[in-house]
Amino acid sequence: MVRTEPIIAVNDVKASSQWYQSLLACQNSHSNSIFDQLVDTDGTILLCLHHWGDHGHPSLLSPDHGKPGNGLLLFFSWVDDFDRTWERAQSLGTKIEEEPHLNPFAGHTEFTLRDLDGYHITICSVPV
């Protein structure tokens, strides 16, 4: 088995954690101002948040060394409560890039928004 634990660098770990918890109705399991893990109901890690510049990771040193999110799409697939997630997304006050629409290639409905740091987030329903 192989699992990924994506880590993104953010300006404010606690604010980003709250934003993702609100969007995905998930929990956090490692909360502090430098690092947090967002987990699903079964404990599976969905996403890790890392404060810019801490711990010396080369790609997480500074947002000034590149454009955060360029070339990255956080793709949350098979969301059970897609309609409620869309409602929560609209209430977060961040930019909606694409409203819900059918992706004919994947056979699911999806929407895309930006998080607090400008990363693109795509949320997908269970395929029809």
Side-chain angles (χ1 to χ4, degrees):
M1 177 188 298
V2 175
R3 290 191 178 160
T4 62
E5 294 180 9
I7 300 172
I8 59 171
V10 298
N11 289 309
D12 184 329
V13 170
K14 290 185 182 223
S16 291
S17 179
Q18 286 299 315
W19 188 90
Y20 278 98
Q21 288 178 66
S22 295
L23 175 65
L24 300 173
C26 63
Q27 302 295 315
N28 64 332
S29 68
H30 190 86
S31 181
N32 63 50
S33 62
I34 296 173
F35 185 79
D36 201 355
Q37 292 177 325
L38 301 168
V39 296
D40 204 351
T41 55
D42 66 358
T44 300
I45 296 173
L46 301 173
L47 180 65
C48 299
L49 306 171
H50 197 291
H51 186 257
W52 281 110
D54 289 307
H55 298 141
H57 300 299
S59 63
L60 306 176
L61 290 177
S62 170
D64 299 329
H65 296 180
K67 187 173 182 181
N70 186 37
L72 172 72
L73 171 62
L74 292 172
F75 198 80
F76 293 94
S77 58
W78 295 56
V79 174
D80 291 334
D81 58 349
F82 181 83
D83 292 333
R84 292 193 66 219
T85 305
W86 168 240
E87 290 172 9
R88 291 191 302 268
Q90 293 173 90
S91 72
L92 291 172
T94 54
K95 185 175 182 182
I96 304 291
E97 294 287 341
E98 292 181 307
E99 294 199 6
H101 62 280
L102 177 65
N103 179 328
F105 303 108
H108 61 234
T109 302
E110 64 186 41
F111 65 87
T112 302
L113 71 160
R114 299 273 188 128
D115 76 359
L116 298 177
D117 291 273
Y119 292 102
H120 284 87
I121 312 301
T122 296
I123 305 291
C124 307
S125 68
V126 175
V128 180

